[in-house]
Amino acid sequence: MNEQHEEHSEHSAAPRPEPAAHHSDDAPDTPAAQTPPGPKPEPEPEPGPGPASTVESEHRQDPPEPAQPPAPAGPPQVHHNNVNQYFYGELNASGAQFGLGTAGSDNARRRAVGRLDAGEADAILAPYVKPACFEQAVLALERDAVVVLVGPPGSGKRSGAVALVDALADESEYVVLSPGRSLDDLASGKVAFEKGVGYVLLDRTGEDSSQTADFDWRRVRDTVREHDAHLVVTTVHPVDGAVVESVRHVPWHLPDLTAVLRVRLARAGCAEDTVERAAALMPGGCRIAEVAAAAGRIAGGGAPEEVWQDYGSSAAQPVRAWFLQERTPQEWAEVTTLAFVNGAGYRDFETCQERLEGWVAPAFPEPVTEEEQSAAARRAVDRRLSLSRNALVAVEDRKNGALTRTALVFPHPQYRQWALEELWTKRSTPYWNGVRDWLTELVAAQPGLGLQLSVAQGLALLARPAFDEVADNYLHPWAGGTAGPAGQSTATLVLQCMCLDESLAATALGLARGWARSYDPALRSTAAAAFSGALGVRFPTDAVTNLLRLIVRRGGLPVDAAFALAGLVAVLAECGQDTGAVLRPLAYRLRQQRETLTGQPKENVLGAAMTVLRARDARTGRLVCAALLERDARQTTTIGQVWAGVLDNLPRRGRALAALFATLRELPAVSEHPERPAERFGRALGAALPADDRPPLAGALRQVAARADEAVTHLLEIFLTAVLSTEG
């Protein structure tokens, strides 16, 4: 699919990754490529290397990889990622304090790009307070049609960008573009700007050449002007060493946070004395998202003096006070362990702490005197007593069915972020080398998903003050397989957690895009897994573009990418998001290659399409596409086009017919009136098939369903009548 079509479709709506949604068992399978231990069968067999795709060229091609010998056939299944499933099912986002002001984990369950609907735009614009630099940006946008807002995370650039395009755009329509868009994408027509529409590109991650930056921005400016649109770009850093005169880069600053608080509380109907008390008690050091979150709690009845304890300098003060005292190596290890192993019981926590103490021991002087040695020995024996005296460690009782489980946590969830920032500031490289080796050992031992998620949350929080540390010492090595399969899945979990934070989501996307383009197959495999979860939900166009590239390119791991596409469809459906973000590009590719007789890219795309069509939801066990025919009738036409693409391929037709019958047979389980989706589906498939192919399809499908019961046969005839009666 060309990127212009893909962008607008979006607006309208190692080891391989761990399983998450399984494949239909109704069709016979073919020999599978090699699999990791466990119940994960392959979708279609991974083809050997073929010519690089001409549909979507890469800047550089990977060297060919030898084809893998097939393993014995097993029951056909496609799983979506267990890690992703756990992330959606078990994540307690509030405990990590991600996505303040964005409804916690709901932030990862919605797309970050595409058209802003009226409700989203109103939520941003209604309580908006303009900073002092707003008018300067308006003038620049009015003059050039493009402006760049430069400022640190948490300075309100996102809401400022929407307010700017609202001030000048002719239409009340706003489009958020992917942060991965390059300046060439914006200038060359890969993004189709529309007259009167306001465009926002948040947290742009592209690396500009300082030698050509002004020329590149000039091209973008001219393109946006030509289409009579407006574009606001936000970024953290300007181009290093470059002077950009063609497009104004405006330094962005926080608005008056007291005014932001007053506006939000007044709009919520709070009494004037509540507004004044909340404004007077607001601590320093708050981010704008924290002010919005606090205002929501106060408007909901929270006492201002209690609410403000969780934000800004009020939240940080108890943690900073603890770190100002002289601390023993054991106390350092207690807080470090708690930052990464949060919510564990005493036994697991103490075991992890003891292992950490061994790794970080070189960062502390050896006890010399007998008194120092005795004190160290006593502390080692009295670990639990020491924990009880630590003001940053609390014990929480958690219900587990009829039982109660003890968990070690911070007294307030906000302490975790501040503790990590203090640890990063106060401990030097030898200590962090020990932490790195400890966490790598911990993850490589394949802990449970709960511990993996806790480690991932800690690393995502550490990425705020120390991104390079996290990327270079954890994410990249683990994604490359140095900590085994569990390390790869933990690396994907870190990216999922980063998606909960508006200031880190674009960074997570940039990491995954880099892995997907790597020569290292382990990195590409990890990228595919990451795109099948929250990262794909937040940035579906980028996810599908990268996964399709992995499917059609030489040595691109088509099996892993096919799994990821199936998992992404299932997760998008579970989150109530636009599954067409996957299905539309897949249908487009199938139509585009219909006249191609053979070739590895065609085989890979057909295999991926079959994988997606046969995927089952891991929770319900139902075929995802069958459920979509009932739940989201808008996708029926596209689903029919994908089916037509695979039925058109003679070698796969037998399996495709069996899978098609399985889909029809399952409609009564997902619909109270299965006749309706069956008829819609038949019309859609009939419209997508050549007229000469419809009668043979009907005969072949009746043979597949020869032993079906009366109810299924009745449904099948409704479907086939619709197929055969389609005009054209």
Side-chain angles (χ1 to χ4, degrees):
M1 173 181 289
N2 66 61
E3 292 199 53
Q4 172 178 329
H5 175 87
E6 190 170 297
E7 188 80 43
H8 280 273
S9 295
E10 176 57 39
H11 298 340
S12 63
R16 296 189 174 89
E18 311 221 330
H22 63 274
H23 201 298
S24 168
D25 296 330
D26 300 293
D29 197 20
T30 57
Q34 67 181 29
T35 63
K40 176 195 173 187
E42 301 292 327
E44 296 289 322
E46 180 169 349
S53 169
T54 58
V55 176
E56 197 163 4
S57 62
E58 277 288 289
H59 296 299
R60 60 186 184 184
Q61 297 293 337
D62 288 348
E65 295 177 355
Q68 297 293 334
Q77 288 187 327
V78 176
H79 297 274
H80 51 143
N81 199 309
N82 274 345
V83 169
N84 291 331
Q85 201 68 24
Y86 184 85
F87 181 87
Y88 281 110
E90 303 294 335
L91 176 63
N92 177 6
S94 63
Q97 287 301 299
F98 282 105
L100 285 167
T102 53
S105 61
D106 287 345
N107 194 30
R109 300 177 70 91
R110 58 179 175 82
R111 58 187 170 86
V113 293
R115 296 191 186 273
L116 282 179
D117 61 35
E120 290 176 299
D122 288 345
I124 293 171
L125 297 172
Y128 186 67
V129 174
K130 299 176 182 178
C133 52
F134 188 84
E135 293 305 323
Q136 179 186 3
V138 168
L139 292 174
L141 184 61
E142 189 173 25
R143 183 190 69 185
D144 299 327
V146 181
V147 69
V148 181
L149 311 183
V150 183
S155 56
K157 297 190 300 295
R158 179 176 186 268
S159 54
V162 176
L164 282 168
V165 295
D166 177 70
L168 292 179
D170 297 333
E171 305 288 338
S172 58
E173 191 170 11
Y174 319 103
V175 175
V176 181
L177 302 176
S178 165
R181 285 294 184 188
S182 68
L183 295 183
D184 185 65
D185 289 343
L186 298 174
S188 62
K190 292 183 179 179
V191 177
F193 294 105
E194 298 177 15
K195 181 178 179 179
V197 176
Y199 292 83
V200 172
L201 196 159
L202 302 172
D203 299 319
R204 182 173 171 270
T205 57
E207 295 183 0
D208 303 328
S209 166
S210 59
Q211 286 77 24
T212 64
D214 188 64
F215 173 75
D216 293 336
W217 277 111
R218 189 181 303 276
R219 292 177 60 220
V220 173
R221 181 198 66 190
D222 293 345
T223 300
V224 177
R225 277 179 175 174
E226 179 184 343
H227 290 86
D228 199 15
H230 291 87
L231 170 65
V232 179
V233 179
T234 75
T235 187
V236 174
H237 301 292
V239 182
D240 290 337
V243 177
V244 179
E245 297 179 346
S246 54
V247 171
R248 184 71 184 274
H249 286 54
V250 177
W252 198 253
H253 304 288
L254 276 170
D256 182 344
L257 294 182
T258 303
V260 172
L261 178 68
R262 291 179 187 277
V263 167
R264 289 180 173 272
L265 293 179
R267 286 181 54 81
C270 292
E272 186 175 349
D273 63 328
T274 301
V275 175
E276 293 303 320
R277 190 165 81 257
L281 293 172
M282 185 173 68
C286 287
R287 296 187 299 166
I288 192 167
E290 291 182 303
V291 174
R297 290 174 58 185
I298 294 169
E305 54 272 14
E306 295 179 2
V307 170
W308 283 125
Q309 291 179 10
D310 295 337
Y311 301 106
S313 59
S314 292
Q317 185 54 40
V319 178
R320 288 173 175 165
W322 188 91
F323 278 93
L324 288 174
Q325 303 296 318
E326 190 71 25
R327 297 297 173 186
T328 66
Q330 185 166 310
E331 288 174 311
W332 286 107
E334 288 170 356
V335 174
T336 305
T337 303
L338 191 60
F340 293 103
V341 185
N342 197 271
Y346 274 113
R347 179 178 290 275
D348 290 340
F349 185 92
E350 290 168 354
T351 300
C352 291
Q353 179 190 334
E354 186 174 3
R355 293 296 302 163
L356 172 62
E357 289 174 6
W359 282 110
V360 300
F364 298 99
E366 290 282 345
V368 177
T369 66
E370 290 187 8
E371 183 178 354
E372 290 174 340
Q373 294 172 353
S374 298
R378 284 195 303 273
R379 288 194 297 269
V381 172
D382 296 335
R383 292 186 189 280
R384 200 160 300 186
L385 182 59
S386 177
L387 285 169
S388 69
R389 293 170 176 167
N390 192 325
L392 295 186
V393 181
V395 179
E396 183 180 273
D397 290 334
R398 295 182 175 177
K399 291 293 183 181
N400 186 13
L403 304 176
T404 300
R405 186 176 71 85
T406 298
L408 295 176
V409 296
F410 286 99
H412 298 283
Q414 294 83 357
Y415 284 12
R416 191 177 187 183
Q417 172 70 63
W418 294 108
L420 281 163
E421 293 194 10
E422 289 294 311
L423 284 166
W424 177 247
T425 301
K426 291 183 167 54
R427 299 311 312 175
S428 57
T429 297
Y431 186 86
W432 284 103
N433 286 342
V435 173
R436 176 199 61 201
D437 296 338
W438 167 66
L439 285 176
T440 300
E441 177 190 65
L442 184 64
V443 167
Q446 298 187 337
L449 280 173
L451 183 53
Q452 279 184 272
L453 178 58
S454 180
V455 171
Q457 287 176 330
L459 288 174
L461 288 168
L462 182 61
R464 290 175 177 173
F467 170 72
D468 288 346
E469 171 75 9
V470 173
D472 296 343
N473 290 283
Y474 301 93
L475 292 181
H476 191 83
W478 291 2
T482 60
Q488 290 178 275
S489 59
T490 305
T492 69
L493 267 179
V494 176
L495 299 191
Q496 316 298 42
C497 289
M498 290 172 70
C499 284
L500 294 174
D501 190 323
E502 293 284 3
S503 66
L504 293 175
T507 303
L509 174 62
L511 284 169
R513 283 163 54 95
W515 297 345
R517 287 166 167 77
S518 170
Y519 285 108
D520 185 347
L523 288 175
R524 298 199 301 271
S525 179
T526 306
F531 281 126
S532 71
L535 193 65
V537 175
R538 297 285 281 155
F539 303 104
T541 299
D542 294 273
V544 175
T545 298
N546 280 278
L547 291 174
L548 287 175
R549 183 180 289 114
L550 289 173
I551 285 170
V552 302
R553 69 184 287 188
R554 186 189 301 271
L557 302 179
V559 172
D560 292 52
F563 277 128
L565 276 180
L568 180 56
V569 167
V571 172
L572 287 168
E574 181 182 343
C575 297
Q577 294 295 301
D578 178 24
T579 54
V582 176
L583 297 172
R584 286 189 298 269
L586 200 53
Y588 179 89
R589 295 264 181 173
L590 290 168
R591 289 195 305 272
Q592 193 180 49
Q593 65 184 20
R594 182 166 285 171
E595 302 304 320
T596 304
L597 295 180
T598 186
Q600 242 22 89
K602 178 172 183 174
E603 294 302 310
N604 293 353
V605 173
L606 285 165
M610 281 292 294
T611 299
V612 169
L613 292 173
R614 299 168 68 195
R616 293 183 180 271
D617 185 271
R619 296 178 183 274
T620 65
R622 302 297 182 194
L623 283 165
V624 175
C625 284
L628 285 174
L629 290 171
E630 167 62 20
R631 280 193 325 207
D632 191 357
R634 298 170 302 172
Q635 301 303 333
T636 303
T637 298
T638 309
I639 292 173
Q641 292 168 351
V642 177
W643 272 111
V646 296
L647 288 166
D648 187 53
N649 181 254
L650 186 60
R652 284 179 171 79
R653 188 169 295 169
R655 281 174 291 150
L657 286 169
L660 178 60
F661 174 64
T663 302
L664 294 169
R665 189 176 61 191
E666 197 152 297
L667 286 178
V670 299
S671 173
E672 292 184 4
H673 304 285
E675 298 84 3
R676 298 172 187 171
E679 184 180 5
R680 288 196 303 266
F681 184 24
R683 289 198 303 269
L685 181 57
L689 284 171
D692 293 343
D693 288 355
R694 297 168 197 160
L697 167 68
L701 196 56
R702 287 189 177 105
Q703 287 185 347
V704 172
R707 298 182 181 179
D709 60 40
E710 184 176 344
V712 176
T713 301
H714 173 66
L715 202 61
L716 176 66
E717 291 304 320
I718 292 174
F719 169 77
L720 289 177
T721 299
V723 171
L724 295 171
S725 63
T726 304
E727 297 181 1

